Amino acid sequence: QVQLVQSGAEVKKPGSSVKVSCKASGGIFNTYAISWVRQAPGQGLEWMGGIIPLFGIPNYAQKFQARVTITADKSTNTAYMELNSLRSEDTAVYYCGRDVEGGLDEGARFDSWGQGTLVTVSS
Amino acid sequence: SSELTQDPGVSVALGQTVRITCQGDSLRSYSASWYQQKPGQAPVLVIYGKNSRPSGIPDRFSGSTSGDTASLTITGAQAEDEADYHCYSRDTSGNHLGGVFGGGTKLTVL
């Protein structure tokens, strides 16, 4: 099973950007999607967007469309999520997950998760 | 955009059966998956598809769907099952990776 290891915690100023990495090992990287999910303190999970590294075309949730960029580097099995124009409400743990599409019978699921990256936005 | 609705909190006596539900229009078209999350930890997949469990997940966890409602059932709840449970499905946006989570249900084992 693939293992996902994320970059470390970040503290950012409002208005700045953050870029979080997610390195995969031990499994197939290129043909499965990597999605990014965030969790604000005490809140639920929120899907932000994803990418299939083989194709390199990202999909974004409408809420984040204007501020997020998701990329993947096939040569290093690493996905990235960059969030711009940070505000205090972006303080959250950001997770990457391997997004497996199983069709009608098995559906979509995240079968592996990174350990999470805490991003704190504070002046 | 799609939404999935979960009860914020549910409790169950040790050894009893509990059902956690997730309601939303997207579930008429897409299967739900369920995640267990303990404090300070990443979510863990426990149920996906019609009723599939990843290896290592106890068979006391099961899933089902009827109409627009998906359910996660724990038969014989154990103390270690106390956690937050999140449902997920693809959404109806037309975005092939688009997905939506429920708000999460905090399960308390009494």
Side-chain angles (χ1 to χ4, degrees), chain B residues 14-35:
Chain B
L14 185 67
Q16 297 303 302
T17 296
V18 63
R19 176 175 292 180
I20 298 169
T21 61
C22 173
Q23 182 179 25
D25 286 342
S26 63
L27 298 176
R28 295 185 182 278
S29 303
Y30 300 105
S31 295
S33 53
W34 290 91
Y35 303 86

Side-chain angles (χ1 to χ4, degrees), chain B residues 33-70:
Chain B
S33 53
W34 290 91
Y35 303 86
Q36 177 191 72
Q37 186 181 30
K38 296 183 179 180
Q41 298 182 18
V44 173
L45 176 67
V46 293
I47 289 289
Y48 63 96
K50 292 185 177 179
N51 185 19
S52 297
R53 279 177 290 106
S55 61
I57 302 300
D59 61 4
R60 63 178 179 271
F61 290 88
S62 63
S64 63
T65 300
S66 177
D68 69 349
T69 301

Side-chain angles (χ1 to χ4, degrees), chain A residues 39 47 59 99 101 105 110, chain B residues 35 37 90 95-97:
Chain A
Q39 186 171 38
W47 184 80
N59 288 171
D99 183 340
E101 175 54 63
D105 285 340
F110 298 101
Chain B
Y35 303 86
Q37 186 181 30
R90 292 293 188 218
N95 179 335
H96 75 279
L97 291 179

